[in-house]
Amino acid sequence: MGLMKLAGAAALSTVLFGCAMPMGGGWTALVDGTSGLENFNRVGVANWSGTDGAIQASSGGATPAYLVSKQSYTDFTMRVEFWASDDANSGVFVRCANPAEITDENCYEANIFDQRPDPTYGTGAIVKVAKVSPMPKAGGKWNVYEITAKGPRLTLVLNGVKTVDVEDRKLTSGPVALQWGRGVIKFRKVDIRPI
């Protein structure tokens, strides 16, 4: 009888908490609510903290700041839940060639920047690699980015809509990074799975 109760509890926990972690094996949680800062090195100055159920930043220095993963990745899928203020300048950087210096030249940047002066590389685009039109808006709400890098193929899906499907051979492997540039950015879930 105890085994039956244990199986029932496991099934109930799967139903109740199944949405918190993508289904299937091989996923690693880099951010889970306020936990995960230990999975990253800090580059630049920002007030990153685990607050109100997310890792977030709202101020920093004169230049963007980053949380750079301690591990490198080659082929993978990422699922990123984020909230951005309307004026936020942020992004998810992947396959970064130099973990000490994060740029949109030496990483692929899945942009989060609704007020970017040139919206062709705004939210939903990979800066300097793949444009988006029309640019979706992410400000003021929770969003989900699904980012896949497999060989030269890069895809972005923002809130269930594919915004990028492109091939680029410039970068093949490296850490991932979360950016604060301005405004408020919150990451409440970042999961990654090698493919």
Side-chain angles (χ1 to χ4, degrees):
M1 185 87 163
L3 189 55
M4 293 287 287
K5 285 184 181 178
L6 185 59
L12 181 59
S13 71
T14 300
V15 169
L16 293 175
F17 301 107
C19 295
M21 183 74 169
M23 299 305 286
W27 288 95
T28 299
L30 297 177
V31 172
D32 187 4
T34 58
S35 299
L37 281 170
E38 68 279 2
N39 296 319
F40 299 92
N41 294 314
R42 295 175 189 228
V43 174
V45 177
N47 65 338
W48 293 107
S49 67
T51 308
D52 297 328
I55 289 177
Q56 59 185 298
S58 59
S59 65
T63 59
Y66 305 89
L67 294 177
V68 182
S69 69
K70 292 179 179 178
Q71 187 166 344
S72 289
Y73 303 92
T74 302
D75 291 342
F76 59 87
T77 296
M78 283 182 80
R79 186 175 184 279
V80 180
E81 294 181 25
F82 69 92
W83 185 95
S85 60
D86 291 329
D87 65 338
N89 177 2
S90 183
V92 179
F93 291 67
V94 301
R95 290 184 172 172
C96 296
N98 181 355
E101 183 182 347
I102 306 301
T103 72
D104 59 13
E105 296 280 337
N106 68 3
C107 305
Y108 294 116
E109 179 188 1
N111 210 358
I112 304 168
F113 194 1
D114 288 357
Q115 295 181 6
R116 190 174 196 273
D118 175 7
T120 58
Y121 289 115
T123 301
I126 298 177
V127 178
K128 299 181 181 174
V129 174
K131 298 177 181 179
V132 64
S133 181
M135 183 190 75
K137 297 282 189 171
K141 63 184 179 185
W142 284 100
N143 302 271
V144 176
Y145 247 145
E146 295 171 47
I147 302 166
T148 303
K150 185 170 184 182
R153 189 170 184 189
L154 306 166
T155 59
L156 296 184
V157 176
L158 179 61
N159 299 325
V161 176
K162 188 182 287 187
T163 59
V164 167
D165 190 345
V166 68
E167 289 199 7
D168 189 274
R169 298 181 188 285
K170 179 173 67 174
L171 304 164
T172 58
S173 185
V176 300
L178 308 175
Q179 179 193 48
W180 174 87
R182 77 170 193 215
V184 178
I185 187 68
K186 303 176 184 183
F187 297 96
R188 71 178 175 194
K189 196 78 173 150
V190 178
D191 296 315
I192 192 163
R193 177 178 66 184
I195 52 174

